[in-house]
C-alpha cells in the first residue's frame, strides 16, 4: 500500500492582499454547508476542505488584511430564511463560538475556517483555492449539512444527492473518514 501523501493547496482572496498555502490529504470538496453563518459570510453552497494546520502559511501583497470573525454561540444554527425575524440586539456581550472564519478585510473573501476543538486542522473554503484545480465530486458522493438552515430561496439540493447524505447538523462521518472510505485519503495527484 502506498503511503498517503498530501497535496499543497494555494489559495487567495479576490484582491490578492491575502494568500495562503496549506497541505491537504483531503482535497475533495464533497461537503456542502447550508448553515446560516456560512451562508451569510461565504455564500450559498459553501464547501470546505481540510488542511493540516501546522502547514498553513499566510502571505500576499498585504497579509495584514487577514482578519478573523467569530459568531456568537446563539447564532450557530439559527434560522437564516428571509422570513425569519431579525435577531434581537444582545443585552450583553455574547459568548463567542470557537469556530473562526478567516477572511480578507479589504475584499471580504472567505479564506478558511478554524476551530480550537480540532487544532490540528484548518478548513479552507474550496472557492478560495487557486491551484491546483480541485477535483469534482459526483452528486451521489456529496454530503449536505445543516440542511434545516437552508435558505428558502436557495437552489434545491441536487436530485442525485441521496436523502441519507442530507444532515440536519454535522454528519456522522468525518472529512477524513469520507476520503478514506473511498480510497481518496492522500492519494489525489493534480494533473
Amino acid at each position: 500500500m502506498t503511503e498517503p501523501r498530501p497535496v499543497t493547496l494555494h489559495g487567495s482572496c479576490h484582491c490578492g492582499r491575502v494568500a495562503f498555502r496549506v497541505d491537504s490529504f483531503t482535497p475533495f470538496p464533497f461537503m456542502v454547508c447550508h448553515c446560516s453563518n456560512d451562508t451569510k459570510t461565504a455564500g450559498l453552497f459553501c464547501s470546505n476542505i481540510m488542511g493540516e494546520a501546522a502547514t498553513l502559511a499566510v502571505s500576499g501583497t498585504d497579509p495584514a488584511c487577514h482578519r478573523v470573525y467569530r459568531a456568537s454561540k446563539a447564532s450557530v444554527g439559527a434560522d437564516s430564511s428571509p422570513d425569519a425575524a431579525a435577531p434581537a440586539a444582545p443585552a450583553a456581550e455574547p459568548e463567542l463560538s470557537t469556530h473562526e472564519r478567516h477572511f480578507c478585510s479589504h475584499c471580504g473573501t472567505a479564506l478558511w475556517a478554524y476551530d480550537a476543538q480540532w487544532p490540528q486542522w484548518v478548513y479552507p473554503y474550496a472557492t478560495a483555492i487557486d491551484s491546483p484545480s480541485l477535483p469534482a465530486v459526483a452528486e451521489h458522493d456529496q454530503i449536505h449539512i445543516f440542511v434545516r438552515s437552508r435558505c428558502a430561496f436557495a437552489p434545491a439540493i441536487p436530485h442525485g444527492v441521496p436523502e441519507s447524505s442530507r444532515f440536519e447538523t454535522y454528519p456522522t462521518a468525518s472529512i477524513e473518514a469520507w476520503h478514506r472510505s473511498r480510497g481518496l485519503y492522500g492519494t489525489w495527484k493534480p494533473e
Side-chain angles (χ1 to χ4, degrees):
M1 184 168 153
T2 306
E3 183 72 23
R5 298 185 57 94
V7 61
T8 299
L9 305 174
H10 298 269
S12 66
C13 64
H14 187 260
C15 70
R17 284 177 170 82
V18 183
F20 65 94
R21 76 174 190 287
V22 67
D23 289 346
S24 176
F25 289 92
T26 57
F28 285 75
F30 73 95
M31 190 180 305
V32 180
C33 185
H34 299 274
C35 80
S36 60
N37 290 323
D38 279 345
T39 299
K40 286 188 178 269
T41 62
L44 294 172
F45 291 95
C46 173
S47 184
N48 292 56
I49 51 182
M50 192 168 76
E52 305 295 308
T55 68
L56 179 68
V58 180
S59 61
T61 62
D62 187 2
C65 286
H66 167 230
R67 295 285 188 275
V68 177
Y69 170 72
R70 290 173 54 205
S72 71
K73 283 189 175 182
S75 71
V76 175
D79 185 358
S80 63
S81 71
D83 299 326
E93 196 64 33
E95 184 180 1
L96 296 178
S97 165
T98 59
H99 191 79
E100 300 175 355
R101 289 168 176 82
H102 293 251
F103 66 99
C104 172
S105 64
H106 184 77
C107 68
T109 301
L111 299 167
W112 69 86
Y114 170 81
D115 198 309
Q117 294 181 77
W118 303 282
Q120 66 274 38
W121 296 307
V122 292
Y123 303 93
Y125 290 97
T127 53
I129 302 301
D130 300 317
S131 68
S133 292
L134 296 175
V137 176
E139 286 182 3
H140 67 272
D141 279 332
Q142 292 177 13
I143 291 177
H144 287 249
I145 64 174
F146 289 93
V147 295
R148 69 172 184 223
S149 300
R150 189 172 85 61
C151 295
F153 61 82
I157 294 172
H159 293 294
V161 176
E163 287 296 322
S164 61
S165 294
R166 301 171 190 212
F167 294 87
E168 293 293 310
T169 60
Y170 288 107
T172 51
S174 68
I175 293 173
E176 181 177 332
W178 183 94
H179 281 78
R180 285 188 184 278
S181 71
R182 290 162 175 77
L184 300 174
Y185 182 83
T187 62
W188 183 64
K189 294 182 179 113
E191 295 178 10

